[in-house]
Amino acid sequence: MSKKVAVVLSGSGVYDGSEIHESVFTLLALAEAGAEVQAFAPNCDQMHVVNHLTGEVADGETRNVLVESARIMRGNVLDIAQANVEEFDALIVPGGFGAAKNLSDFAVAGSGLTVNPDFLALAKSFHDAGKPIGLICISPTMTAAICGEGAECTIGTDPETAAAVNATGAKHVDCEVTSFHVDEDKKLVTTPAYMLASNMVEAKTGIDKLVSSVLSLA
Protein backbone atom coordinates (compact mmCIF):
# COMPACT_ATOMS: atom_id res chain seq x y z
CA MET A 1 0.00 0.00 0.00
CA SER A 2 1.38 3.43 -0.95
CA LYS A 3 2.18 5.99 1.71
CA LYS A 4 0.02 9.11 1.94
CA VAL A 5 1.89 12.34 2.61
CA ALA A 6 0.63 15.79 3.56
CA VAL A 7 2.70 18.58 1.98
CA VAL A 8 2.27 22.04 3.51
CA LEU A 9 2.92 25.05 1.28
CA SER A 10 3.24 28.71 2.26
CA GLY A 11 2.48 30.57 -0.95
CA SER A 12 4.23 30.65 -4.31
CA GLY A 13 7.65 32.20 -4.75
CA VAL A 14 10.90 32.13 -2.79
CA TYR A 15 10.73 35.65 -1.33
CA ASP A 16 7.21 35.57 0.09
CA GLY A 17 5.96 31.98 -0.23
CA SER A 18 7.12 28.41 -0.88
CA GLU A 19 10.32 28.00 -2.85
CA ILE A 20 8.98 26.67 -6.14
CA HIS A 21 11.93 24.43 -7.04
CA GLU A 22 11.92 22.85 -3.58
CA SER A 23 8.16 22.32 -3.75
CA VAL A 24 8.28 20.70 -7.19
CA PHE A 25 11.29 18.54 -6.31
CA THR A 26 9.42 17.34 -3.21
CA LEU A 27 6.28 16.53 -5.19
CA LEU A 28 8.30 14.81 -7.92
CA ALA A 29 10.24 12.65 -5.47
CA LEU A 30 7.01 11.61 -3.77
CA ALA A 31 5.38 10.79 -7.11
CA GLU A 32 8.40 8.75 -8.22
CA ALA A 33 8.22 6.81 -4.95
CA GLY A 34 4.56 6.02 -5.57
CA ALA A 35 3.32 8.08 -2.63
CA GLU A 36 -0.09 9.72 -2.57
CA VAL A 37 0.03 13.45 -1.86
CA GLN A 38 -2.40 16.06 -0.60
CA ALA A 39 -1.22 19.64 -0.29
CA PHE A 40 -2.43 22.08 2.34
CA ALA A 41 -1.84 25.76 3.08
CA PRO A 42 -3.12 28.30 5.59
CA ASN A 43 -6.12 30.33 4.43
CA CYS A 44 -4.69 33.71 5.42
CA ASP A 45 -2.95 36.72 3.92
CA GLN A 46 0.78 36.62 3.29
CA MET A 47 2.96 38.77 5.54
CA HIS A 48 3.62 40.86 2.44
CA VAL A 49 4.01 40.54 -1.31
CA VAL A 50 7.44 40.71 -2.95
CA ASN A 51 8.09 41.61 -6.57
CA HIS A 52 10.27 38.67 -7.58
CA LEU A 53 11.79 40.61 -10.48
CA THR A 54 13.11 43.45 -8.31
CA GLY A 55 13.15 41.84 -4.87
CA GLU A 56 11.22 44.79 -3.48
CA VAL A 57 8.07 44.67 -1.34
CA ALA A 58 4.96 45.58 -3.35
CA ASP A 59 3.35 48.17 -1.09
CA GLY A 60 -0.42 48.00 -0.84
CA GLU A 61 -0.71 44.55 -2.45
CA THR A 62 -2.12 41.57 -0.58
CA ARG A 63 -2.23 37.91 -1.53
CA ASN A 64 -3.76 34.86 0.13
CA VAL A 65 -1.41 32.00 1.07
CA LEU A 66 -3.89 29.28 0.10
CA VAL A 67 -4.73 30.91 -3.23
CA GLU A 68 -1.07 31.43 -4.10
CA SER A 69 -0.18 27.84 -3.12
CA ALA A 70 -2.78 26.65 -5.61
CA ARG A 71 -0.49 27.93 -8.39
CA ILE A 72 2.09 25.27 -7.55
CA MET A 73 -0.51 22.52 -7.09
CA ARG A 74 -2.51 23.25 -10.24
CA GLY A 75 -5.43 23.99 -7.92
CA ASN A 76 -5.25 20.82 -5.82
CA VAL A 77 -4.63 22.32 -2.38
CA LEU A 78 -6.85 22.43 0.70
CA ASP A 79 -7.20 24.75 3.68
CA ILE A 80 -4.85 23.45 6.36
CA ALA A 81 -7.72 23.61 8.85
CA GLN A 82 -9.24 20.64 6.97
CA ALA A 83 -6.19 18.40 7.42
CA ASN A 84 -6.60 15.27 9.55
CA VAL A 85 -3.44 13.57 10.75
CA GLU A 86 -5.19 10.19 10.85
CA GLU A 87 -5.43 10.21 7.04
CA PHE A 88 -1.67 10.53 6.48
CA ASP A 89 1.58 8.67 7.09
CA ALA A 90 3.96 11.64 7.01
CA LEU A 91 4.28 15.43 6.70
CA ILE A 92 6.74 17.40 4.54
CA VAL A 93 7.22 21.18 4.44
CA PRO A 94 9.27 22.81 1.63
CA GLY A 95 11.16 26.01 2.38
CA GLY A 96 11.13 29.48 0.94
CA PHE A 97 10.63 32.68 2.92
CA GLY A 98 6.94 31.81 3.22
CA ALA A 99 7.92 29.27 5.89
CA ALA A 100 9.52 32.12 7.84
CA LYS A 101 6.86 34.73 7.02
CA ASN A 102 3.54 32.91 6.66
CA LEU A 103 3.92 29.60 8.51
CA SER A 104 5.89 31.41 11.20
CA ASP A 105 7.33 34.87 11.83
CA PHE A 106 10.96 33.77 12.04
CA ALA A 107 11.93 36.31 9.36
CA VAL A 108 10.89 39.09 11.76
CA ALA A 109 11.14 37.59 15.25
CA GLY A 110 14.13 35.26 14.84
CA SER A 111 14.51 32.87 17.75
CA GLY A 112 11.43 34.40 19.40
CA LEU A 113 9.27 33.13 16.55
CA THR A 114 5.64 32.13 16.80
CA VAL A 115 4.10 29.59 14.44
CA ASN A 116 0.80 29.83 12.57
CA PRO A 117 -1.64 28.10 14.94
CA ASP A 118 -3.33 25.93 12.31
CA PHE A 119 0.00 24.72 10.95
CA LEU A 120 1.44 24.19 14.42
CA ALA A 121 -1.57 22.15 15.53
CA LEU A 122 -1.24 19.91 12.46
CA ALA A 123 2.52 19.49 12.71
CA LYS A 124 2.39 18.72 16.44
CA SER A 125 -0.34 16.17 15.81
CA PHE A 126 2.01 14.34 13.42
CA HIS A 127 4.79 14.46 16.00
CA ASP A 128 2.52 13.31 18.83
CA ALA A 129 1.30 10.42 16.66
CA GLY A 130 4.89 9.29 16.01
CA LYS A 131 4.61 10.00 12.29
CA PRO A 132 7.69 11.32 10.45
CA ILE A 133 8.11 14.95 9.49
CA GLY A 134 10.40 16.39 6.80
CA LEU A 135 11.42 20.06 7.00
CA ILE A 136 13.34 21.65 4.13
CA CYS A 137 15.56 24.74 3.83
CA ILE A 138 14.45 27.41 6.38
CA SER A 139 11.50 25.31 7.65
CA PRO A 140 13.63 23.61 10.35
CA THR A 141 13.63 26.89 12.28
CA MET A 142 10.23 25.66 13.55
CA THR A 143 11.71 22.40 14.88
CA ALA A 144 11.53 23.19 18.60
CA ALA A 145 7.98 24.50 18.33
CA ILE A 146 6.90 21.26 16.63
CA CYS A 147 9.06 18.55 18.19
CA GLY A 148 10.16 20.11 21.48
CA GLU A 149 13.45 21.20 22.97
CA GLY A 150 16.53 19.23 22.02
CA ALA A 151 15.18 18.03 18.69
CA GLU A 152 17.99 17.83 16.13
CA CYS A 153 17.78 19.56 12.75
CA THR A 154 19.83 21.30 10.10
CA ILE A 155 19.60 24.41 7.95
CA GLY A 156 23.08 23.75 6.54
CA THR A 157 26.15 25.57 7.81
CA ASP A 158 25.18 29.24 8.23
CA PRO A 159 26.37 30.12 11.76
CA GLU A 160 23.95 32.99 12.37
CA THR A 161 20.84 31.00 11.42
CA ALA A 162 22.18 27.95 13.26
CA ALA A 163 22.59 30.07 16.41
CA ALA A 164 19.01 31.27 16.08
CA VAL A 165 17.82 27.66 15.72
CA ASN A 166 19.71 26.70 18.87
CA ALA A 167 18.21 29.68 20.69
CA THR A 168 14.72 28.32 19.99
CA GLY A 169 15.60 25.18 21.93
CA ALA A 170 16.39 22.90 19.01
CA LYS A 171 19.87 21.45 18.40
CA HIS A 172 21.43 22.43 15.10
CA VAL A 173 23.68 19.96 13.26
CA ASP A 174 25.85 21.18 10.37
CA CYS A 175 25.07 19.43 7.09
CA GLU A 176 26.30 19.58 3.52
CA VAL A 177 23.91 20.69 0.80
CA THR A 178 23.41 17.29 -0.83
CA SER A 179 22.91 15.47 2.45
CA PHE A 180 20.30 15.41 5.22
CA HIS A 181 19.99 14.87 8.96
CA VAL A 182 17.69 12.48 10.80
CA ASP A 183 16.67 12.78 14.44
CA GLU A 184 15.69 9.14 14.86
CA ASP A 185 14.02 9.70 18.23
CA LYS A 186 11.80 12.51 16.93
CA LYS A 187 11.36 11.00 13.44
CA LEU A 188 12.39 14.38 12.03
CA VAL A 189 14.29 14.66 8.73
CA THR A 190 15.82 17.94 7.56
CA THR A 191 17.95 19.09 4.60
CA PRO A 192 19.49 22.48 3.67
CA ALA A 193 18.31 22.74 0.04
CA TYR A 194 18.55 26.40 -1.04
CA MET A 195 19.97 27.49 2.31
CA LEU A 196 23.17 26.17 0.69
CA ALA A 197 22.39 25.03 -2.84
CA SER A 198 23.98 26.90 -5.73
CA ASN A 199 21.94 25.05 -8.35
CA MET A 200 18.87 22.85 -8.82
CA VAL A 201 20.84 19.60 -8.88
CA GLU A 202 22.28 20.20 -5.41
CA ALA A 203 18.88 21.12 -3.98
CA LYS A 204 17.15 18.17 -5.62
CA THR A 205 19.77 15.69 -4.40
CA GLY A 206 19.20 16.58 -0.76
CA ILE A 207 15.43 16.71 -1.14
CA ASP A 208 15.35 13.30 -2.85
CA LYS A 209 17.24 11.85 0.12
CA LEU A 210 14.92 13.56 2.60
CA VAL A 211 11.82 12.21 0.89
CA SER A 212 13.28 8.69 0.79
CA SER A 213 14.15 8.90 4.49
CA VAL A 214 10.72 10.23 5.49
CA LEU A 215 8.97 7.45 3.58
CA SER A 216 11.22 4.80 5.13
CA LEU A 217 10.26 6.07 8.60
CA ALA A 218 6.53 6.08 7.80
Coordinates of all heavy atoms in Angstrom, one line a residue, residues 91-127:
L91 N 4.4 14.0 7.0 CA 4.3 15.4 6.7 C 5.6 16.0 6.2 O 6.7 15.7 6.7 CB 3.9 16.2 8.0 CG 3.9 17.7 7.9 CD1 2.8 18.2 7.0 CD2 3.8 18.3 9.3
I92 N 5.5 16.7 5.1 CA 6.7 17.4 4.5 C 6.4 18.9 4.3 O 5.4 19.2 3.7 CB 7.3 16.7 3.3 CG1 7.6 15.3 3.5 CG2 8.4 17.5 2.7 CD1 8.2 14.5 2.3
V93 N 7.4 19.7 4.6 CA 7.2 21.2 4.4 C 8.4 21.7 3.6 O 9.5 21.8 4.2 CB 7.1 21.9 5.8 CG1 6.8 23.4 5.6 CG2 6.1 21.3 6.7
P94 N 8.2 22.1 2.4 CA 9.3 22.8 1.6 C 9.6 24.2 2.3 O 8.8 24.7 3.1 CB 8.7 23.0 0.2 CG 7.6 22.0 0.2 CD 7.0 21.9 1.5
G95 N 10.7 24.7 1.8 CA 11.2 26.0 2.4 C 10.7 27.2 1.5 O 9.6 27.1 0.9
G96 N 11.5 28.2 1.5 CA 11.1 29.5 0.9 C 10.8 30.4 2.1 O 10.5 30.0 3.2
F97 N 10.9 31.7 1.8 CA 10.6 32.7 2.9 C 9.2 32.6 3.5 O 8.9 33.0 4.6 CB 10.9 34.1 2.4 CG 12.4 34.5 2.5 CD1 13.2 34.5 1.4 CD2 12.9 34.8 3.8 CE1 14.5 34.9 1.5 CE2 14.3 35.2 3.9 CZ 15.0 35.2 2.7
G98 N 8.3 32.0 2.7 CA 6.9 31.8 3.2 C 6.9 31.0 4.5 O 6.1 31.2 5.4
A99 N 7.8 30.1 4.7 CA 7.9 29.3 5.9 C 8.3 30.1 7.1 O 7.9 29.8 8.2 CB 8.9 28.1 5.7
A100 N 9.1 31.2 6.8 CA 9.5 32.1 7.8 C 8.7 33.4 7.9 O 9.0 34.3 8.7 CB 11.0 32.4 7.6
K101 N 7.7 33.5 7.0 CA 6.9 34.7 7.0 C 5.4 34.4 7.2 O 4.6 35.2 7.8 CB 7.1 35.5 5.7 CG 8.4 36.1 5.5 CD 8.6 36.8 4.2 CE 9.9 37.5 4.0 NZ 10.1 38.2 2.7
N102 N 5.0 33.3 6.7 CA 3.5 32.9 6.7 C 3.2 31.7 7.6 O 2.2 31.7 8.2 CB 3.1 32.6 5.2 CG 3.4 33.8 4.3 OD1 3.3 34.9 4.7 ND2 3.7 33.5 3.0
L103 N 4.1 30.7 7.6 CA 3.9 29.6 8.5 C 4.4 30.0 9.9 O 4.0 29.4 10.9 CB 4.6 28.3 8.0 CG 4.1 27.7 6.7 CD1 4.9 26.4 6.4 CD2 2.6 27.5 6.7
S104 N 5.4 30.9 9.9 CA 5.9 31.4 11.2 C 6.3 32.9 11.0 O 6.2 33.4 9.8 CB 7.1 30.6 11.7 OG 8.3 30.9 10.9
D105 N 6.8 33.5 12.0 CA 7.3 34.9 11.8 C 8.8 34.9 12.1 O 9.4 35.9 12.5 CB 6.6 35.8 12.7 CG 6.7 35.5 14.2 OD1 7.3 34.5 14.6 OD2 6.0 36.2 15.0
F106 N 9.5 33.8 11.8 CA 11.0 33.8 12.0 C 11.7 34.9 11.3 O 12.7 35.4 11.8 CB 11.5 32.4 11.6 CG 13.0 32.3 11.8 CD1 13.5 32.0 13.0 CD2 13.9 32.5 10.7 CE1 14.9 31.9 13.2 CE2 15.3 32.3 10.9 CZ 15.8 32.1 12.1
A107 N 11.2 35.3 10.1 CA 11.9 36.3 9.4 C 11.9 37.6 10.1 O 12.8 38.5 9.9 CB 11.2 36.5 8.0
V108 N 11.0 37.8 11.0 CA 10.9 39.1 11.8 C 11.4 38.9 13.2 O 12.1 39.7 13.7 CB 9.4 39.6 11.8 CG1 9.3 40.8 12.6 CG2 9.0 39.9 10.3
A109 N 10.9 37.8 13.8 CA 11.1 37.6 15.2 C 12.4 36.7 15.6 O 12.8 36.7 16.7 CB 9.9 36.9 15.9
G110 N 13.0 36.1 14.6 CA 14.1 35.3 14.8 C 13.8 34.1 15.8 O 12.8 33.5 15.7
S111 N 14.7 34.0 16.8 CA 14.5 32.9 17.8 C 13.3 33.0 18.6 O 12.9 32.0 19.3 CB 15.8 32.7 18.6 OG 16.0 33.9 19.4
G112 N 12.7 34.2 18.7 CA 11.4 34.4 19.4 C 10.2 34.1 18.6 O 9.1 34.6 18.9
L113 N 10.3 33.4 17.5 CA 9.3 33.1 16.6 C 8.0 32.5 17.2 O 8.1 31.8 18.2 CB 9.8 32.2 15.4 CG 9.7 30.7 15.7 CD1 9.9 30.0 14.3 CD2 10.8 30.2 16.6
T114 N 6.9 32.8 16.6 CA 5.6 32.1 16.8 C 5.3 31.5 15.5 O 5.6 31.9 14.4 CB 4.5 33.1 17.3 OG1 4.3 34.1 16.3 CG2 4.9 33.7 18.6
V115 N 4.5 30.4 15.6 CA 4.1 29.6 14.4 C 2.6 29.7 14.2 O 1.8 29.7 15.2 CB 4.5 28.1 14.6 CG1 4.1 27.3 13.4 CG2 6.0 28.0 14.9
N116 N 2.2 29.8 12.9 CA 0.8 29.8 12.6 C 0.1 28.7 13.3 O 0.4 27.6 13.3 CB 0.7 29.6 11.1 CG -0.8 29.5 10.6 OD1 -1.4 28.4 10.8 ND2 -1.3 30.5 10.0
P117 N -1.0 29.1 14.1 CA -1.6 28.1 14.9 C -2.2 26.9 14.2 O -2.2 25.8 14.8 CB -2.7 28.9 15.7 CG -2.9 30.2 14.8 CD -1.6 30.4 14.2
D118 N -2.8 27.1 13.0 CA -3.3 25.9 12.3 C -2.2 25.0 11.9 O -2.3 23.8 12.0 CB -4.1 26.4 11.1 CG -5.5 27.0 11.5 OD1 -6.0 26.7 12.6 OD2 -6.0 27.8 10.7
F119 N -1.1 25.6 11.4 CA 0.0 24.7 11.0 C 0.6 24.0 12.2 O 0.9 22.8 12.1 CB 1.1 25.5 10.2 CG 2.3 24.8 10.0 CD1 2.4 23.7 9.2 CD2 3.5 25.1 10.7 CE1 3.5 22.9 9.0 CE2 4.6 24.4 10.6 CZ 4.7 23.3 9.7
L120 N 0.8 24.8 13.2 CA 1.4 24.2 14.4 C 0.6 23.0 15.0 O 1.2 22.0 15.4 CB 1.6 25.3 15.5 CG 2.4 24.8 16.8 CD1 3.8 24.3 16.4 CD2 2.4 26.0 17.8
A121 N -0.7 23.2 15.0 CA -1.6 22.2 15.5 C -1.4 20.9 14.7 O -1.4 19.8 15.2 CB -3.0 22.6 15.6
L122 N -1.4 21.1 13.4 CA -1.2 19.9 12.5 C 0.1 19.3 12.6 O 0.2 18.0 12.8 CB -1.4 20.3 11.0 CG -1.2 19.2 10.0 CD1 -2.3 18.2 10.1 CD2 -1.2 19.8 8.6
A123 N 1.2 20.0 12.6 CA 2.5 19.5 12.7 C 2.7 18.8 14.0 O 3.3 17.7 14.1 CB 3.6 20.6 12.5
K124 N 2.3 19.4 15.1 CA 2.4 18.7 16.4 C 1.6 17.4 16.5 O 2.0 16.5 17.2 CB 2.0 19.7 17.5 CG 3.0 20.8 17.8 CD 2.6 21.7 18.9 CE 2.9 21.0 20.2 NZ 2.8 21.9 21.4
S125 N 0.5 17.4 15.8 CA -0.3 16.2 15.8 C 0.4 15.0 15.1 O 0.3 13.9 15.5 CB -1.7 16.4 15.2 OG -1.6 16.6 13.8
F126 N 1.2 15.4 14.1 CA 2.0 14.3 13.4 C 3.1 13.9 14.4 O 3.3 12.7 14.5 CB 2.7 14.9 12.2 CG 1.8 14.7 10.9 CD1 0.9 15.7 10.6 CD2 2.0 13.6 10.1 CE1 0.1 15.6 9.4 CE2 1.2 13.5 9.0 CZ 0.3 14.5 8.6
H127 N 3.7 14.8 15.1 CA 4.8 14.5 16.0 C 4.2 13.6 17.1 O 4.8 12.6 17.5 CB 5.4 15.7 16.6 CG 6.4 15.5 17.6 ND1 7.6 14.8 17.4 CD2 6.4 15.8 19.0 CE1 8.3 14.7 18.5 NE2 7.6 15.3 19.5

